[in-house]
Amino acid sequence: MKFRDRPEEAQQRLETLVEEMGGESDRAVVIVGAAWVEEALGDSVTSFLEAHADAHKRLFSGAGPLASFSAKIDLARLLGLMTDSIRSDLHKIREIRNEFAHSIANKQDHTKLSFTASHVRDKCLALNCVAQEAHTDPRVAFTRACATLNADFDLITLIGDKIAGQHKVVAAGIDAA
C-alpha cells in the first residue's frame, strides 16, 4: 500500500508541510516547498513505470540520469504530464531553490537572500500556475504554486498507478502469462 492510499497520513503530511513553511525563513520555505514539488513530480513520473528496484535506483538515485529535479521536469514534459507553461514554472521553482540552497547572500547586492530580492520576486510573481490568483506577495505566490503543483501531481500519480503496466510488448510464448 502506498502512502497516498492512506488519506489520514496524507492529511497529516500536508499539515506538517504547511506548518513547516508557515513560520520559517524564506530560505526554508523555498527549500521545503521545492522539495515537496520535486517529490510529487518524481512520484508522478514513476507511477507510469513498472516497479523495478534496480533500474529505478540506477536512473533516479545519486548521479543517475533522472536524479535531478531538472531531468524529472523534462522527462515529465516528454511524457505529456504537463504543458510547457507548467514546465516553465517548475524550472523557475528549481532555479529559485538552487539559488537559496547554494548562495549565502544575494549575488546582485550581497544582502540577505529573500523573496523581496527583485529577481526572486519577479520569478515568483510570474508563476503561471497561480497567475489567476493575482498575488502581490512573492512568498505567498511561491507557496501557493508549490501546493497547487503538488496537488496536481498527486492526481497524476493516482492516474499513473491505475494504468501503469497494462499495455506492453511481449514475446509470444515467452512473456505471455
Side-chain angles (χ1 to χ4, degrees):
M1 177 183 287
K2 295 184 179 181
F3 176 79
R4 67 188 151 276
D5 295 330
R6 300 183 299 262
E8 65 285 349
E9 290 182 28
Q11 180 63 34
Q12 177 60 44
R13 182 169 185 268
L14 177 60
E15 290 171 10
T16 299
L17 284 165
V18 170
E19 180 181 331
E20 177 82 20
M21 292 173 75
E24 292 297 329
S25 69
D26 287 356
R27 186 177 308 271
V29 167
V30 167
I31 292 171
V32 170
W36 186 23
V37 172
E38 182 177 4
E39 184 178 284
L41 173 63
D43 287 347
S44 289
V45 168
T46 59
S47 72
F48 287 89
L49 307 175
E50 286 195 22
H52 191 283
D54 291 341
H56 187 275
K57 185 175 180 181
R58 280 192 307 276
L59 291 172
F60 290 95
S61 297
L66 300 174
S68 72
F69 194 3
S70 183
K72 289 176 194 138
I73 293 167
D74 292 339
L75 177 59
R77 179 62 188 105
L78 290 173
L79 289 169
L81 302 182
M82 69 181 80
T83 63
D84 283 333
S85 176
I86 297 302
R87 178 183 176 272
S88 175
D89 281 357
L90 289 167
H91 279 299
K92 286 175 192 160
I93 289 169
R94 179 188 57 78
E95 291 164 4
I96 294 166
R97 188 269 323 260
N98 286 351
E99 183 165 359
F100 276 84
H102 301 292
S103 299
I104 302 299
N106 185 337
K107 291 180 181 179
Q108 296 172 343
D109 61 9
H110 308 291
T111 58
K112 180 180 177 182
L113 193 55
S114 72
F115 282 110
T116 59
S118 62
H119 65 291
V120 174
R121 180 190 67 237
D122 292 346
K123 282 182 184 176
C124 291
L125 296 178
L127 291 165
N128 297 304
C129 65
V130 292
Q132 76 283 359
E133 297 175 14
H135 292 288
T136 57
D137 181 336
R139 181 179 172 128
V140 172
F142 183 88
T143 304
R144 287 283 302 134
C146 290
T148 298
L149 291 167
N150 184 68
D152 289 347
F153 287 124
D154 277 351
L155 181 59
I156 290 170
T157 300
L158 289 172
I159 294 166
D161 285 343
K162 299 292 183 200
I163 65 171
Q166 292 187 14
H167 305 287
K168 62 178 108 177
V169 175
V170 298
I174 297 172
D175 293 327

